[in-house]
Amino acid sequence: RALAMLNAMVASQVDWSEIWREVKRQQRMGHPIAEHIHSLNLEQNEFKLLLADPEVEEVEAEGTEDRPMEVVSLDLNLSAHANVARLHARRKETREKTSRTQTHAEAAIKSAERKAHQDMQKFDLKQTIRRVRQNWWFEKYIWFISSENYLVISGHDAIQTEQLFL
């Protein structure tokens, strides 16, 4: 009804500011349709309507509490059915984007947890290797075990060789 009312005003070639003043006057008088008109944007042929959420409306039908209202943009060039179809298409698209985002976020979290677990396992393995094997005093020199099972040690330079003989 708001769409038809505004289209009739625009078709009668009333000045846009006059249309907005008339809507405000009707709101003050308590007109049920005018009370739901939030704003007019006639340059882009649209207006914003305050609508109650139908799911919340059913629950609070018996109460006199304020219901949350949602601002919905409607196109004056489209019919009521076309506006509803456009709104439902946007709602469906938003719902699909949200579900895709949640799916990808869950996958990213699982991947990060898996990588963190692998990193912790690598770190634990390195720590156990370090704890198991300790360096001997001669490992800072050149060394090997001979075929007769002797430990053969040599210095890297003259200073290390002198240290071996002390």
Side-chain angles (χ1 to χ4, degrees):
R1 292 185 206 171
L3 184 64
M5 181 179 80
L6 288 173
N7 274 334
M9 287 181 170
V10 170
S12 65
Q13 297 184 355
V14 176
D15 185 34
W16 291 349
S17 58
E18 184 62 34
I19 292 174
W20 182 241
R21 276 192 292 255
E22 180 63 25
V23 167
K24 285 296 191 183
R25 189 176 70 74
Q26 291 294 329
Q27 286 175 344
R28 281 192 302 274
M29 290 174 48
H31 192 277
I33 296 173
E35 286 179 349
H36 288 283
I37 296 175
H38 182 263
S39 65
L40 294 176
N41 187 359
L42 297 174
E43 291 88 13
Q44 295 180 354
N45 249 1
E46 69 178 19
F47 70 103
K48 295 191 186 220
L49 201 62
L50 292 171
L51 296 178
D53 189 2
E55 295 157 4
V56 175
E57 191 172 312
E58 292 172 3
V59 174
E60 297 178 356
E62 67 278 348
T64 58
E65 302 172 16
D66 287 339
R67 286 176 272 154
M69 303 290 266
E70 188 173 334
V71 178
V72 177
S73 179
L74 298 176
D75 192 344
L76 288 170
N77 291 331
L78 301 176
S79 69
H81 294 292
N83 275 310
V84 169
R86 191 183 88 201
L87 290 173
H88 283 296
R90 283 185 188 165
R91 184 176 172 194
K92 182 179 178 183
E93 180 182 321
T94 303
R95 193 178 314 128
E96 289 172 355
K97 281 184 179 181
T98 303
S99 69
R100 283 194 310 262
T101 301
Q102 287 176 344
T103 303
H104 290 300
E106 289 170 0
I109 288 171
K110 284 180 184 178
S111 174
E113 286 175 349
R114 193 176 319 115
K115 177 144 176 48
H117 185 66
Q118 288 173 350
D119 289 347
M120 286 301 293
Q121 284 179 339
K122 285 180 184 178
F123 180 74
D124 290 343
L125 179 65
K126 287 179 182 178
Q127 291 300 321
T128 55
I129 289 173
R130 284 187 187 136
R131 276 186 251 135
V132 171
R133 187 180 177 310
Q134 294 182 356
N135 289 343
W136 293 91
W137 65 270
F138 53 83
E139 288 187 23
K140 61 183 172 185
Y141 303 105
I142 298 173
W143 64 277
F144 65 93
I145 298 178
S146 68
S147 58
E148 286 113 26
N149 214 16
Y150 288 109
L151 176 62
V152 180
I153 302 173
S154 170
H156 288 281
D157 55 11
I159 297 171
Q160 278 190 341
T161 307
E162 285 294 323
Q163 287 176 349
L164 285 172
F165 288 112
L166 293 178

